[in-house]
Coordinates of all heavy atoms in Angstrom, one line a residue:
M80 N -7.7 18.6 -6.6 CA -6.7 17.5 -6.2 C -6.2 16.9 -7.4 O -6.9 16.5 -8.3 CB -7.4 16.5 -5.4 CG -7.7 17.0 -4.0 SD -8.2 15.6 -3.0 CE -8.1 16.4 -1.5
S81 N -5.0 16.6 -7.5 CA -4.4 15.9 -8.6 C -3.4 14.9 -8.0 O -2.9 15.0 -6.9 CB -3.7 16.7 -9.6 OG -2.6 17.4 -9.1
N82 N -3.2 13.9 -8.7 CA -2.2 12.8 -8.4 C -1.4 12.5 -9.7 O -1.8 12.8 -10.8 CB -3.0 11.6 -7.9 CG -2.2 10.6 -7.1 OD1 -1.0 10.9 -6.9 ND2 -2.7 9.6 -6.7
Q83 N -0.2 12.0 -9.5 CA 0.6 11.7 -10.6 C 0.8 10.2 -10.8 O 0.9 9.5 -9.8 CB 2.0 12.3 -10.4 CG 2.1 13.8 -10.4 CD 1.7 14.4 -11.8 OE1 2.2 14.0 -12.8 NE2 0.9 15.5 -11.8
T84 N 0.7 9.7 -12.0 CA 0.9 8.3 -12.2 C 2.4 8.1 -12.3 O 3.3 9.0 -12.4 CB 0.3 7.9 -13.6 OG1 0.9 8.6 -14.7 CG2 -1.2 8.0 -13.7
Q85 N 2.9 6.8 -12.4 CA 4.3 6.6 -12.4 C 5.0 7.2 -13.6 O 6.2 7.5 -13.5 CB 4.5 5.1 -12.4 CG 4.2 4.4 -11.1 CD 4.4 3.0 -11.1 OE1 4.7 2.3 -12.1 NE2 4.5 2.4 -9.9
N86 N 4.3 7.3 -14.7 CA 4.9 8.0 -15.9 C 4.8 9.5 -15.9 O 5.1 10.1 -16.9 CB 4.4 7.3 -17.2 CG 2.9 7.6 -17.3 OD1 2.3 8.3 -16.6 ND2 2.3 6.9 -18.3
G87 N 4.2 10.1 -14.8 CA 4.2 11.5 -14.7 C 3.0 12.1 -15.2 O 2.8 13.3 -15.1
Q88 N 2.0 11.3 -15.7 CA 0.8 11.9 -16.2 C -0.2 12.1 -15.1 O -0.1 11.4 -14.1 CB 0.2 10.9 -17.3 CG 0.9 10.7 -18.5 CD 0.4 9.7 -19.5 OE1 -0.4 8.9 -19.1 NE2 0.7 9.9 -20.7
S89 N -1.1 13.1 -15.3 CA -2.1 13.4 -14.3 C -3.1 12.3 -14.2 O -3.6 11.8 -15.2 CB -2.7 14.7 -14.6 OG -3.7 15.0 -13.6
N90 N -3.5 11.9 -13.0 CA -4.6 11.0 -12.8 C -5.7 11.7 -12.1 O -5.5 12.0 -10.9 CB -4.0 9.7 -12.0 CG -5.0 8.7 -11.7 OD1 -6.1 8.7 -12.4 ND2 -4.7 7.8 -10.8
E91 N -6.8 11.9 -12.8 CA -7.9 12.7 -12.1 C -8.7 11.7 -11.2 O -8.8 10.5 -11.4 CB -8.9 13.2 -13.3 CG -8.2 14.2 -14.2 CD -7.8 15.5 -13.4 OE1 -8.7 15.9 -12.5 OE2 -6.8 16.0 -13.7
P92 N -9.2 12.3 -10.1 CA -9.9 11.5 -9.1 C -11.2 11.0 -9.8 O -11.8 11.6 -10.7 CB -10.2 12.5 -8.1 CG -10.0 13.8 -8.6 CD -9.1 13.7 -9.6
I93 N -11.6 9.8 -9.4 CA -12.9 9.2 -9.9 C -14.1 9.8 -9.0 O -15.3 9.7 -9.5 CB -12.9 7.7 -9.9 CG1 -12.7 7.1 -8.5 CG2 -11.9 7.3 -10.9 CD1 -12.9 5.6 -8.4
R94 N -13.8 10.3 -7.8 CA -14.8 10.9 -7.0 C -14.2 11.7 -5.9 O -13.1 11.5 -5.4 CB -15.7 9.7 -6.3 CG -16.8 10.1 -5.4 CD -18.1 10.2 -6.2 NE -19.1 10.8 -5.4 CZ -20.1 10.1 -4.9 NH1 -20.2 8.8 -5.1 NH2 -21.0 10.6 -4.2
V95 N -14.9 12.8 -5.6 CA -14.5 13.8 -4.6 C -15.5 14.1 -3.6 O -16.6 14.3 -4.0 CB -13.8 15.1 -5.1 CG1 -13.4 16.0 -4.1 CG2 -12.7 14.8 -6.2
F96 N -15.2 13.9 -2.4 CA -16.1 14.2 -1.2 C -15.8 15.5 -0.6 O -14.6 15.6 -0.2 CB -16.3 13.1 -0.3 CG -16.7 11.8 -0.8 CD1 -15.8 10.9 -1.4 CD2 -18.0 11.5 -0.8 CE1 -16.2 9.7 -2.0 CE2 -18.5 10.2 -1.4 CZ -17.6 9.4 -1.9
R97 N -16.7 16.5 -0.5 CA -16.2 17.8 0.1 C -17.2 18.2 1.2 O -18.5 18.0 1.1 CB -16.4 18.8 -1.0 CG -15.4 18.7 -2.1 CD -15.4 19.8 -3.1 NE -14.5 19.8 -4.1 CZ -14.6 19.1 -5.3 NH1 -15.7 18.5 -5.6 NH2 -13.5 19.1 -6.0
S98 N -16.7 18.9 2.2 CA -17.5 19.6 3.2 C -16.6 20.6 3.9 O -15.5 20.3 4.3 CB -18.1 18.6 4.2 OG -18.8 19.2 5.2
S99 N -17.1 21.8 4.2 CA -16.4 22.8 5.0 C -15.0 23.1 4.7 O -14.1 23.1 5.5 CB -16.5 22.4 6.5 OG -17.9 22.2 6.9
G100 N -14.7 23.1 3.4 CA -13.3 23.4 2.9 C -12.4 22.2 3.0 O -11.2 22.4 2.6
I101 N -12.9 21.1 3.2 CA -12.1 19.9 3.2 C -12.5 19.0 2.2 O -13.8 18.8 1.9 CB -12.1 19.1 4.6 CG1 -11.6 20.1 5.7 CG2 -11.4 17.8 4.6 CD1 -11.8 19.5 7.1
S102 N -11.7 18.3 1.5 CA -12.1 17.4 0.4 C -11.3 16.1 0.5 O -10.0 16.1 0.9 CB -11.9 18.0 -1.0 OG -10.6 18.4 -1.3
V103 N -11.9 15.0 0.2 CA -11.2 13.7 0.1 C -11.5 13.1 -1.3 O -12.6 13.0 -1.7 CB -11.7 12.7 1.2 CG1 -11.1 11.3 1.0 CG2 -11.4 13.2 2.6
A104 N -10.5 12.9 -2.0 CA -10.5 12.4 -3.4 C -10.2 11.0 -3.5 O -9.2 10.5 -2.7 CB -9.6 13.2 -4.4
V105 N -10.9 10.2 -4.3 CA -10.6 8.8 -4.6 C -10.0 8.6 -5.9 O -10.5 9.1 -6.9 CB -11.9 7.9 -4.5 CG1 -11.7 6.5 -4.8 CG2 -12.6 8.1 -3.2
F106 N -8.9 8.0 -5.9 CA -8.1 7.8 -7.2 C -8.0 6.3 -7.5 O -7.9 5.4 -6.6 CB -6.6 8.3 -7.1 CG -6.5 9.8 -7.1 CD1 -6.5 10.4 -5.7 CD2 -6.4 10.5 -8.1 CE1 -6.4 11.7 -5.7 CE2 -6.3 11.9 -8.0 CZ -6.4 12.5 -6.8
S107 N -8.2 5.9 -8.8 CA -8.2 4.6 -9.2 C -6.9 4.4 -10.0 O -6.5 5.1 -10.9 CB -9.4 4.3 -10.1 OG -9.3 3.1 -10.7
N108 N -6.1 3.3 -9.7 CA -4.9 3.0 -10.4 C -4.9 1.6 -10.8 O -5.6 0.7 -10.1 CB -3.7 3.3 -9.5 CG -3.6 4.8 -9.1 OD1 -3.2 5.6 -10.0 ND2 -4.0 5.1 -7.9
T109 N -4.2 1.2 -11.9 CA -4.1 -0.2 -12.2 C -2.7 -0.6 -12.3 O -1.8 0.2 -12.9 CB -4.8 -0.4 -13.6 OG1 -6.1 0.0 -13.5 CG2 -4.8 -1.9 -14.0
S110 N -2.3 -1.7 -11.8 CA -1.0 -2.2 -11.8 C -1.1 -3.7 -12.0 O -1.8 -4.4 -11.3 CB -0.3 -1.9 -10.6 OG 1.1 -2.5 -10.6
D111 N -0.4 -4.4 -13.0 CA -0.3 -5.7 -13.2 C -1.8 -6.3 -13.4 O -2.1 -7.4 -12.9 CB 0.4 -6.5 -12.0 CG 1.8 -6.1 -11.9 OD1 2.4 -5.9 -12.9 OD2 2.3 -6.2 -10.8
G112 N -2.7 -5.5 -14.0 CA -4.0 -6.0 -14.3 C -4.9 -5.8 -13.1 O -6.2 -6.2 -13.2
K113 N -4.5 -5.4 -12.0 CA -5.4 -5.2 -10.8 C -5.6 -3.7 -10.6 O -4.7 -2.9 -10.7 CB -4.7 -5.9 -9.6 CG -4.6 -7.4 -9.6 CD -4.2 -7.9 -8.4 CE -4.1 -9.4 -8.4 NZ -3.7 -10.0 -7.1
T114 N -6.9 -3.4 -10.2 CA -7.2 -2.0 -9.9 C -7.1 -1.9 -8.4 O -7.6 -2.7 -7.6 CB -8.7 -1.8 -10.4 OG1 -8.7 -1.9 -11.8 CG2 -9.0 -0.3 -10.0
F115 N -6.5 -0.8 -7.9 CA -6.5 -0.4 -6.5 C -6.8 1.0 -6.4 O -6.8 1.8 -7.4 CB -5.1 -0.8 -5.9 CG -3.9 0.0 -6.5 CD1 -3.4 1.1 -6.0 CD2 -3.3 -0.6 -7.7 CE1 -2.4 1.8 -6.6 CE2 -2.2 0.1 -8.3 CZ -1.8 1.3 -7.6
Y116 N -7.2 1.4 -5.2 CA -7.7 2.8 -4.9 C -6.8 3.4 -3.8 O -6.3 2.8 -3.0 CB -9.1 2.7 -4.5 CG -10.0 2.1 -5.6 CD1 -10.3 0.7 -5.5 CD2 -10.5 2.8 -6.6 CE1 -11.1 0.1 -6.4 CE2 -11.3 2.2 -7.6 CZ -11.5 0.9 -7.5 OH -12.4 0.2 -8.4
K117 N -6.7 4.7 -3.9 CA -6.0 5.6 -3.0 C -6.8 6.8 -2.7 O -7.6 7.3 -3.5 CB -4.6 6.1 -3.5 CG -3.6 4.9 -3.7 CD -2.3 5.5 -3.9 CE -1.3 4.4 -4.0 NZ 0.1 4.9 -4.0
L118 N -6.7 7.2 -1.4 CA -7.5 8.4 -0.9 C -6.5 9.5 -0.7 O -5.4 9.3 -0.1 CB -8.2 8.1 0.3 CG -9.2 6.9 0.3 CD1 -9.9 6.7 1.7 CD2 -10.2 7.1 -0.7
S119 N -6.9 10.8 -1.0 CA -6.1 11.9 -0.8 C -7.0 13.0 -0.1 O -8.1 13.3 -0.7 CB -5.5 12.4 -2.2 OG -4.8 13.5 -2.0
A120 N -6.5 13.5 1.0 CA -7.3 14.6 1.7 C -6.5 15.9 1.7 O -5.3 15.9 1.7 CB -7.5 14.2 3.1
Q121 N -7.3 17.0 1.5 CA -6.7 18.3 1.6 C -7.8 19.3 2.1 O -9.0 19.0 2.1 CB -6.2 18.8 0.3 CG -7.1 19.0 -0.8 CD -6.4 19.6 -2.1 OE1 -5.2 19.4 -2.3 NE2 -7.2 20.2 -2.9
R122 N -7.3 20.4 2.5 CA -8.3 21.5 3.0 C -7.8 22.8 2.2 O -6.6 22.9 1.8 CB -8.2 21.7 4.5 CG -6.9 22.3 5.0 CD -7.0 22.4 6.5 NE -5.8 22.9 7.1 CZ -5.4 24.2 7.2 NH1 -6.1 25.1 6.8 NH2 -4.2 24.4 7.7
V123 N -8.8 23.6 2.0 CA -8.6 24.8 1.2 C -8.7 26.0 2.3 O -9.6 25.9 3.1 CB -9.6 25.1 0.1 CG1 -9.5 26.3 -0.6 CG2 -9.5 23.9 -0.8
Y124 N -7.9 26.9 2.2 CA -8.0 28.1 3.0 C -7.6 29.4 2.3 O -7.0 29.3 1.2 CB -7.1 28.0 4.3 CG -5.7 27.8 4.1 CD1 -4.8 28.9 4.2 CD2 -5.1 26.6 3.7 CE1 -3.4 28.8 4.0 CE2 -3.7 26.5 3.6 CZ -2.9 27.5 3.7 OH -1.6 27.4 3.4
K125 N -7.9 30.5 2.8 CA -7.7 31.8 2.1 C -6.6 32.6 2.8 O -6.7 32.8 4.0 CB -8.9 32.5 1.9 CG -8.9 33.6 0.9 CD -10.3 34.1 0.7 CE -10.3 35.2 -0.4 NZ -11.6 35.8 -0.7
V126 N -5.6 33.1 2.1 CA -4.6 34.0 2.6 C -4.8 35.4 1.8 O -4.4 35.3 0.6 CB -3.2 33.5 2.6 CG1 -2.2 34.5 3.0 CG2 -3.1 32.2 3.3
G127 N -5.4 36.3 2.4 CA -5.6 37.6 1.5 C -6.7 37.2 0.5 O -7.8 36.7 0.8
K128 N -6.3 37.4 -0.8 CA -7.2 37.1 -1.9 C -6.9 35.7 -2.5 O -7.7 35.3 -3.4 CB -7.2 38.2 -3.0 CG -7.7 39.5 -2.4 CD -7.7 40.5 -3.6 CE -8.2 41.8 -3.1 NZ -8.4 42.8 -4.1
D129 N -5.8 35.2 -2.0 CA -5.4 33.9 -2.7 C -5.9 32.7 -1.9 O -5.9 32.7 -0.7 CB -3.8 33.8 -2.6 CG -3.2 34.9 -3.6 OD1 -3.9 35.3 -4.6 OD2 -2.1 35.5 -3.2
F130 N -6.3 31.6 -2.6 CA -6.6 30.4 -2.1 C -5.4 29.4 -2.0 O -4.6 29.3 -2.9 CB -7.7 29.7 -2.7 CG -9.0 30.4 -2.5 CD1 -9.6 31.4 -3.4 CD2 -9.9 30.1 -1.4 CE1 -10.8 31.9 -3.2 CE2 -11.0 30.7 -1.2 CZ -11.5 31.6 -2.1
K131 N -5.2 28.8 -0.9 CA -4.1 27.8 -0.7 C -4.7 26.4 -0.3 O -5.8 26.4 0.1 CB -3.2 28.3 0.4 CG -2.7 29.7 0.3 CD -1.4 29.8 -0.5 CE -1.0 31.2 -0.6 NZ 0.3 31.4 -1.3
T132 N -3.9 25.5 -0.4 CA -4.2 24.1 0.0 C -3.2 23.6 1.0 O -2.1 24.0 1.0 CB -4.4 23.1 -1.1 OG1 -3.2 23.0 -1.8 CG2 -5.5 23.5 -2.1
S133 N -3.7 22.6 1.8 CA -2.8 22.1 2.8 C -3.3 20.6 3.0 O -4.5 20.3 2.9 CB -2.8 22.8 4.2 OG -2.0 22.2 5.1
T134 N -2.4 19.8 3.5 CA -2.7 18.4 3.9 C -2.6 18.2 5.3 O -2.6 17.1 5.8 CB -1.8 17.4 3.1 OG1 -0.4 17.7 3.4 CG2 -2.0 17.5 1.6
S135 N -2.5 19.3 6.1 CA -2.6 19.2 7.6 C -3.8 19.8 8.0 O -4.4 20.7 7.4 CB -1.4 19.9 8.2 OG -1.4 21.3 7.9
F136 N -4.4 19.3 9.2 CA -5.7 19.6 9.6 C -5.7 20.0 11.1 O -4.9 19.4 11.8 CB -6.6 18.4 9.4 CG -6.7 18.0 8.0 CD1 -5.9 17.1 7.4 CD2 -7.7 18.6 7.1 CE1 -5.9 16.8 6.1 CE2 -7.8 18.3 5.8 CZ -6.9 17.3 5.2
A137 N -6.4 20.9 11.5 CA -6.6 21.3 12.9 C -7.5 20.2 13.6 O -8.2 19.5 13.0 CB -7.3 22.6 13.0
L138 N -7.2 20.0 14.9 CA -8.0 19.0 15.6 C -9.6 19.3 15.4 O -10.3 18.3 15.4 CB -7.6 19.1 17.1 CG -8.2 18.1 18.0 CD1 -7.9 16.7 17.5 CD2 -7.7 18.3 19.4
S139 N -9.9 20.5 15.4 CA -11.3 20.8 15.2 C -11.9 20.3 13.9 O -13.1 20.2 13.7 CB -11.6 22.4 15.4 OG -10.9 23.1 14.4
E140 N -11.0 20.1 12.9 CA -11.4 19.7 11.6 C -11.5 18.1 11.5 O -12.0 17.5 10.5 CB -10.5 20.2 10.6 CG -10.5 21.6 10.4 CD -9.4 22.2 9.5 OE1 -8.2 21.7 9.6 OE2 -9.6 23.1 8.7
A141 N -10.9 17.4 12.5 CA -10.9 16.0 12.5 C -12.3 15.3 12.3 O -12.4 14.4 11.5 CB -10.3 15.5 13.8
P142 N -13.4 15.7 12.9 CA -14.6 15.1 12.6 C -15.1 15.1 11.2 O -15.5 14.1 10.7 CB -15.6 15.8 13.5 CG -14.8 16.4 14.7 CD -13.5 16.7 14.0
T143 N -14.8 16.3 10.6 CA -15.2 16.4 9.1 C -14.3 15.5 8.2 O -14.8 14.8 7.4 CB -15.1 17.8 8.7 OG1 -16.0 18.6 9.5 CG2 -15.5 18.0 7.2
L144 N -13.1 15.5 8.6 CA -12.1 14.7 7.9 C -12.4 13.2 8.0 O -12.5 12.5 7.0 CB -10.6 15.0 8.3 CG -9.6 14.1 7.7 CD1 -9.5 14.3 6.1 CD2 -8.2 14.4 8.3
I145 N -12.7 12.8 9.2 CA -13.1 11.4 9.4 C -14.4 11.0 8.7 O -14.5 10.0 8.1 CB -13.2 11.1 10.9 CG1 -11.9 11.2 11.6 CG2 -13.9 9.8 11.3 CD1 -11.9 11.3 13.1
F146 N -15.3 11.9 8.8 CA -16.6 11.7 8.0 C -16.4 11.5 6.6 O -16.9 10.5 5.9 CB -17.6 12.8 8.3 CG -18.9 12.7 7.6 CD1 -19.8 11.8 7.9 CD2 -19.1 13.6 6.5 CE1 -21.0 11.7 7.1 CE2 -20.3 13.5 5.8 CZ -21.3 12.6 6.2
L147 N -15.6 12.4 6.0 CA -15.3 12.3 4.5 C -14.6 11.1 4.2 O -14.8 10.4 3.1 CB -14.7 13.6 4.0 CG -15.5 14.9 4.1 CD1 -14.7 16.1 3.7 CD2 -16.7 14.8 3.2
M148 N -13.6 10.7 5.0 CA -12.8 9.6 4.8 C -13.7 8.3 4.9 O -13.5 7.3 4.0 CB -11.7 9.4 5.8 CG -10.5 10.3 5.5 SD -9.6 9.6 4.1 CE -8.1 10.6 4.2
H149 N -14.7 8.3 5.8 CA -15.6 7.2 5.8 C -16.4 7.1 4.6 O -16.7 5.9 4.0 CB -16.5 7.3 7.1 CG -17.5 6.2 7.3 ND1 -17.0 5.0 7.8 CD2 -18.7 6.1 7.0 CE1 -18.1 4.2 7.7 NE2 -19.1 4.8 7.2
L150 N -16.9 8.2 4.1 CA -17.7 8.2 2.9 C -16.8 7.7 1.7 O -17.3 6.8 0.9 CB -18.2 9.6 2.5 CG -19.3 10.2 3.4 CD1 -19.5 11.7 2.9 CD2 -20.5 9.4 3.3
A151 N -15.6 8.1 1.6 CA -14.8 7.7 0.5 C -14.4 6.2 0.7 O -14.4 5.4 -0.3 CB -13.4 8.5 0.6
W152 N -14.2 5.7 1.9 CA -13.9 4.3 2.1 C -15.1 3.5 1.7 O -15.0 2.4 1.1 CB -13.5 4.1 3.6 CG -13.4 2.6 4.0 CD1 -12.4 1.8 3.8 CD2 -14.5 1.8 4.5 NE1 -12.7 0.6 4.2 CE2 -14.0 0.6 4.7 CE3 -15.8 2.1 5.0 CZ2 -14.7 -0.5 5.3 CZ3 -16.5 1.1 5.6 CH2 -15.9 -0.2 5.7
N153 N -16.2 3.9 2.1 CA -17.6 3.2 1.7 C -17.7 3.1 0.3 O -18.0 2.1 -0.3 CB -18.7 3.9 2.4 CG -20.0 3.0 2.3 OD1 -20.0 1.8 2.7 ND2 -21.0 3.5 1.8
Y154 N -17.4 4.2 -0.4 CA -17.5 4.2 -1.9 C -16.6 3.2 -2.5 O -17.0 2.5 -3.4 CB -17.2 5.6 -2.4 CG -17.1 5.8 -3.9 CD1 -18.3 5.8 -4.6 CD2 -16.0 5.9 -4.6 CE1 -18.2 6.0 -6.1 CE2 -15.8 6.1 -5.9 CZ -17.0 6.0 -6.6 OH -16.9 6.3 -8.0
V155 N -15.3 3.2 -2.0 CA -14.4 2.2 -2.6 C -14.7 0.8 -2.3 O -14.7 -0.1 -3.1 CB -12.9 2.6 -2.1 CG1 -11.9 1.5 -2.4 CG2 -12.4 3.9 -2.7
S156 N -15.3 0.6 -1.1 CA -15.7 -0.7 -0.7 C -16.8 -1.2 -1.7 O -16.7 -2.4 -2.1 CB -16.2 -0.8 0.8 OG -15.2 -0.5 1.7
E157 N -17.8 -0.4 -2.0 CA -18.8 -0.7 -3.0 C -18.2 -1.1 -4.3 O -18.6 -2.0 -4.9 CB -19.9 0.4 -3.0 CG -20.7 0.4 -1.8 CD -21.7 1.6 -1.8 OE1 -21.9 2.2 -2.9 OE2 -22.3 1.9 -0.8
L158 N -17.3 -0.2 -4.8 CA -16.6 -0.5 -6.1 C -15.9 -1.9 -6.0 O -16.0 -2.6 -7.1 CB -15.6 0.5 -6.4 CG -16.1 2.0 -6.8 CD1 -14.9 2.9 -7.0 CD2 -17.0 2.0 -8.0
E159 N -15.2 -2.1 -4.9 CA -14.5 -3.4 -4.9 C -15.4 -4.6 -4.8 O -15.2 -5.7 -5.4 CB -13.6 -3.5 -3.7 CG -12.4 -2.5 -3.8 CD -11.5 -2.4 -2.7 OE1 -11.9 -2.7 -1.5 OE2 -10.3 -2.1 -2.8
N160 N -16.6 -4.5 -4.1 CA -17.6 -5.6 -4.1 C -18.2 -5.8 -5.4 O -18.4 -6.9 -5.8 CB -18.7 -5.2 -3.1 CG -18.2 -5.4 -1.7 OD1 -17.3 -6.1 -1.4 ND2 -18.8 -4.7 -0.7
K161 N -18.5 -4.7 -6.2 CA -19.1 -4.9 -7.5 C -18.0 -5.6 -8.4 O -18.4 -6.5 -9.2 CB -19.3 -3.5 -8.2 CG -20.6 -2.9 -7.6 CD -20.8 -1.5 -8.2 CE -22.0 -0.8 -7.5 NZ -22.2 0.6 -8.1
T162 N -16.8 -5.3 -8.3 CA -15.7 -5.9 -9.1 C -15.6 -7.5 -8.7 O -15.5 -8.3 -9.6 CB -14.3 -5.4 -8.8 OG1 -14.4 -3.9 -9.2 CG2 -13.2 -6.0 -9.6
K163 N -15.7 -7.8 -7.4 CA -15.7 -9.2 -7.0 C -17.0 -9.9 -7.5 O -16.9 -11.1 -7.9 CB -15.7 -9.3 -5.5 CG -14.4 -8.9 -4.8 CD -14.4 -8.9 -3.4 CE -13.1 -8.4 -2.8 NZ -13.2 -8.3 -1.3
D164 N -18.2 -9.2 -7.4 CA -19.4 -9.8 -8.0 C -19.3 -10.2 -9.5 O -19.7 -11.3 -9.9 CB -20.6 -8.9 -7.7 CG -21.0 -8.8 -6.1 OD1 -20.5 -9.7 -5.4 OD2 -21.7 -7.9 -5.9
R165 N -18.7 -9.2 -10.2 CA -18.5 -9.5 -11.7 C -17.6 -10.7 -11.9 O -17.8 -11.4 -12.9 CB -18.1 -8.3 -12.4 CG -19.2 -7.2 -12.7 CD -18.7 -6.2 -13.6 NE -19.1 -4.9 -12.9 CZ -18.3 -3.9 -12.7 NH1 -16.9 -4.0 -13.0 NH2 -18.5 -2.8 -12.0
A166 N -16.6 -10.8 -11.1 CA -15.6 -11.8 -11.3 C -16.2 -13.2 -10.9 O -15.8 -14.3 -11.5 CB -14.4 -11.6 -10.4
N167 N -17.2 -13.2 -10.0 CA -17.9 -14.5 -9.7 C -19.0 -14.8 -10.6 O -19.6 -15.9 -10.5 CB -18.4 -14.3 -8.2 CG -17.3 -14.3 -7.2 OD1 -16.2 -14.8 -7.5 ND2 -17.6 -13.6 -6.1
D168 N -19.4 -14.0 -11.5 CA -20.5 -14.3 -12.5 C -20.0 -15.3 -13.5 O -19.0 -15.4 -13.9 CB -21.0 -13.1 -13.1 CG -21.9 -12.3 -12.2 OD1 -22.3 -12.8 -11.2 OD2 -22.1 -11.1 -12.5

């Protein structure tokens, strides 16, 4: 998974959660001195010998996607709490 910054440079994920061909990546971005996070989800599938990716999911994949999104959300929540704790010290 990759993401592009506003100046077109690649922004690598800080963490990726994976299961059953589905992945959710956490990206960290900074703007005006504040850090914010974004989540990106995709699935990998095979066509012949080639691997492809998609951002659409079958209904049967929803439980896995929801689980991974929850893990990513929890991870970001912990990061934000640590940041708040440091600011209060």
Side-chain angles (χ1 to χ4, degrees):
M80 285 188 167
S81 66
N82 200 3
Q83 297 288 318
T84 61
Q85 288 182 349
N86 62 8
Q88 294 177 338
S89 178
N90 181 13
E91 294 297 320
I93 59 172
R94 181 87 188 258
V95 180
F96 298 88
R97 292 183 176 90
S98 180
S99 303
I101 297 174
S102 61
V103 174
V105 179
F106 292 90
S107 173
N108 296 287
T109 304
S110 179
D111 298 327
K113 292 186 178 184
T114 300
F115 61 96
Y116 302 93
K117 290 189 176 190
L118 306 179
S119 177
Q121 70 178 19
R122 66 182 175 88
V123 177
Y124 62 98
K125 196 170 183 180
V126 176
K128 294 182 180 183
D129 298 326
F130 286 95
K131 308 270 184 180
T132 60
S133 177
T134 56
S135 63
F136 301 87
L138 184 58
S139 63
E140 296 169 317
T143 301
L144 178 60
I145 292 166
F146 175 72
L147 294 174
M148 282 288 191
H149 180 77
L150 291 176
W152 172 82
N153 191 54
Y154 174 74
V155 169
S156 294
E157 289 178 10
L158 289 177
E159 289 176 339
N160 286 336
K161 287 179 185 177
T162 302
K163 288 177 189 175
D164 290 345
R165 279 191 233 126
N167 291 331
D168 286 344

